[in-house]
Amino acid sequence: MSDSTRLIASDIEAYLNVHENKDMLRVLTCGSVDDGKSTLIGRLLFDSKMIFEDQMAAIEKDSKRFNTTDEAFDLALLVDGLQSEREQGITIDVAYRYFATEQRKFIIADTPGHEQYTRNMATGASTSDLAIILIDARHGVQVQTRRHSFICSQLGIKHVVIAINKMDAVDYDQSVYQKIKKDYREFAQDLAFDDIRFVPISALKGDNVVNESDNMKWYPGSTLLKLLNTVSITEDTNASFRFQVQYVNRPNLNFRGFCGTVASGEIRVGDTIVALPSGKESKIKSIVTFDGDLEKASAGMSVTLTLEDEIDVGRGDMLVRPHDQPHSSNHLEADVVWMAEEPLQLDREYEIKAGSKSVYGYVDAFNFKVDVNTLATESTQQLALNEMGNCHFTLTAPVQFDSYSQNRSTGAFIIIDRLTNVTVGAAMIRSAVEGEVSSKHQYSEFEVEFNALVRKHFPHWGAKVIG
């Protein structure tokens, strides 16, 4: 009987308290098509005893119905929930699954491997702490392996586990594992990973996933689950305080609170803050939550802050400490992952959403795009679907930001098509651009004010009015 089971039987409140205070690890699974990502997550859940009996019965029934594994029990169906996914035996959308061990809690994002769904993979990577990159032992490192690895690196994931899957299909040959390990290390030497681990597995058979494999005695390392349980994801407790206002709560004349999530750092009652972009200072009067007031709020907590002074604060503003302020600029250099069929082009205006703040802007210069196979840079005048590059953006108004390498929460923005309201790109800010980049047009003060009025009164107009 495990410690958790004994604690449940003797003191349920103590068990809940222990469980609640376990640290959370957000994990991404990615890689090329049919590398076994969904099957791996299913194996983790199955061998960890995290599947209920009714789920088991449903999966057994669906395995025979869709016949993707010759009527054998198909573990991938635990996470492939869409009808089209089950019929084709592929992953299309990101699926999130929760499970816990004695050591920690996990949220695993199962992402698709097809090139056309790269945008879905980038979505899952944006919130992950660790990536499991699967490689089919029969095929080795593929284009999508490189693309997904590069995206993980660009999106700030520092810890990766390279799971070389389907070792059963190559008779558990150690030389195959060693060759793939060597090939990947050569490719990844220029990526910004701090920690790369390798583990040979068979998700279908269960080798080295949760339990050690009798077929690979030559592998001296830990199983995949043990790696996930023991990897250390350090958090910077001294990070700068950043709070992006999402909503102004005014239920009556006696209360005005500013709702949002603490992006980084921490804040206490009585601390002095400054509201950007206005620059007005005040002090924290109270930190309000549904369960009662708090003395302190830290990163990841959704709270309502009230201030001692009546200063003008609205949606999109940022609360920070006076002595530790972010950058502010309307000229940015950013790395872009493009997610739309229509390419990103020069001088076309898009909506730019940074946190809860929305402005408008355009690309006035392409610095380069990246070849995912070689990581070489090359000149370009546009970015096509699934391409990645570096651009200069000019915005209608300054935004407050940190570089993405310092703060993932405040160093990124999404690019939205003004006509369709579809998210077409994701960008990671490197820095402000010194001076103004030459362009076909620059936003005059009149143009900024006039366009703001038009967008307010005629929001259905998608294109720029002037300029």
Side-chain angles (χ1 to χ4, degrees), residues 290-323:
F290 179 81
D291 296 319
D293 291 2
L294 303 175
E295 283 297 314
K296 180 183 76 171
S298 54
M301 297 178 64
S302 297
V303 297
T304 298
L305 303 180
T306 66
L307 306 180
E308 291 185 355
D309 305 291
E310 293 289 342
I311 63 175
D312 183 16
V313 180
R315 175 177 169 82
D317 290 355
M318 186 182 291
L319 304 184
V320 301
R321 296 186 186 278
H323 61 278

Side-chain angles (χ1 to χ4, degrees), residues 104-122:
R104 63 186 1 158
K105 296 179 287 188
F106 299 91
I107 295 178
I108 299 187
D110 179 28
T111 62
H114 288 68
E115 182 176 350
Q116 71 187 92
Y117 302 125
T118 299
R119 68 195 89 176
N120 303 50
M121 176 267 162

Side-chain angles (χ1 to χ4, degrees), residues 230-461:
T230 57
V231 65
S232 176
I233 306 294
T234 58
E235 295 183 5
D236 187 358
T237 56
N238 297 316
S240 303
F241 170 68
R242 302 286 186 260
F243 182 87
Q244 296 170 312
V245 177
Q246 299 175 4
Y247 175 70
V248 179
N249 187 7
R250 188 71 190 277
N252 55 58
L253 294 175
N254 300 317
F255 186 90
R256 178 186 282 112
F258 306 105
C259 307
T261 302
V262 181
S264 61
E266 64 178 32
I267 194 70
R268 295 176 180 271
V269 173
D271 287 352
T272 301
I273 57 92
V274 59
L276 300 177
S278 69
K280 300 293 184 181
E281 287 192 12
S282 184
K283 290 186 176 181
I284 300 296
K285 182 179 180 181
S286 63
I287 302 174
V288 182
T289 71
F290 179 81
D291 296 319
D293 291 2
L294 303 175
E295 283 297 314
K296 180 183 76 171
S298 54
M301 297 178 64
S302 297
V303 297
T304 298
L305 303 180
T306 66
L307 306 180
E308 291 185 355
D309 305 291
E310 293 289 342
I311 63 175
D312 183 16
V313 180
R315 175 177 169 82
D317 290 355
M318 186 182 291
L319 304 184
V320 301
R321 296 186 186 278
H323 61 278
D324 189 10
Q325 299 188 22
H327 305 288
S328 179
S329 178
N330 63 334
H331 295 280
L332 308 175
E333 178 189 354
D335 297 313
V336 176
V337 179
W338 192 245
M339 306 176 178
E341 298 285 349
E342 187 175 352
L344 172 64
Q345 300 175 344
L346 287 171
D347 295 299
R348 176 173 177 179
E349 191 174 76
Y350 299 91
E351 180 180 353
I352 304 297
K353 194 169 187 297
S356 55
K357 184 169 186 174
S358 292
V359 296
Y360 293 88
Y362 59 92
V363 173
D364 51 21
F366 286 98
N367 295 324
F368 56 82
K369 70 176 181 179
V370 179
D371 184 333
V372 296
N373 286 301
T374 63
L375 300 185
T377 59
E378 52 191 66
S379 61
T380 185
Q381 290 301 306
Q382 66 178 30
L383 288 182
L385 175 66
N386 296 327
E387 287 188 333
M388 288 152 280
N390 181 273
C391 314
H392 284 163
F393 286 83
T394 294
L395 312 180
T396 56
V399 295
Q400 289 68 51
F401 67 92
D402 299 284
S403 66
Y404 190 82
S405 60
Q406 295 178 331
N407 194 322
R408 293 171 70 183
S409 298
T410 58
F413 61 84
I414 60 173
I415 306 167
I416 301 172
D417 188 281
R418 296 186 61 184
L419 294 175
T420 63
N421 204 36
V422 171
T423 299
V424 291
M428 290 70 70
I429 303 173
R430 287 196 181 189
S431 64
V433 178
E434 297 294 335
E436 295 186 357
V437 180
S438 60
S439 176
K440 295 179 182 178
H441 66 268
Q442 295 290 336
Y443 289 110
S444 66
E445 183 177 351
F446 170 77
E447 181 180 356
V448 171
E449 294 180 356
F450 185 78
N451 277 339
L453 287 172
V454 171
R455 285 191 293 269
K456 179 178 179 181
H457 296 290
F458 304 97
H460 57 286
W461 289 14

Side-chain angles (χ1 to χ4, degrees), residues 168-179:
D168 56 302
V170 294
D171 297 324
Y172 303 100
D173 189 340
Q174 183 180 6
S175 63
V176 173
Y177 166 73
Q178 294 293 351
K179 182 180 185 305

Side-chain angles (χ1 to χ4, degrees), residues 38-142:
S38 299
T39 302
L40 173 62
I41 296 177
R43 174 60 65 182
L44 277 171
L45 296 173
F46 182 81
D47 287 356
S48 300
K49 315 300 182 187
M50 295 296 294
I51 306 174
F52 296 110
E53 290 185 2
D54 58 336
Q55 290 178 302
M56 291 282 291
I59 296 302
E60 187 173 0
K61 179 180 178 182
D62 286 343
S63 297
K64 296 177 180 179
R65 175 186 174 191
F66 295 107
N67 197 31
T68 54
T69 54
D70 294 327
E71 295 192 6
F73 191 83
D74 189 357
L75 292 169
L77 295 179
L78 284 165
V79 284
D80 287 340
L82 298 177
Q83 181 76 9
S84 55
E85 291 178 326
R86 295 186 166 209
E87 289 174 348
Q88 301 177 58
I90 63 172
T91 300
I92 295 174
D93 202 359
V94 183
Y96 294 92
R97 286 296 179 270
Y98 168 89
F99 81 102
T101 64
E102 296 279 353
Q103 290 78 18
R104 63 186 1 158
K105 296 179 287 188
F106 299 91
I107 295 178
I108 299 187
D110 179 28
T111 62
H114 288 68
E115 182 176 350
Q116 71 187 92
Y117 302 125
T118 299
R119 68 195 89 176
N120 303 50
M121 176 267 162
T123 301
S126 64
T127 58
S128 298
D129 305 308
L130 177 146
I132 302 173
I133 302 175
L134 277 87
I135 298 177
D136 190 326
R138 300 170 299 172
H139 306 309
V141 178
Q142 301 293 299

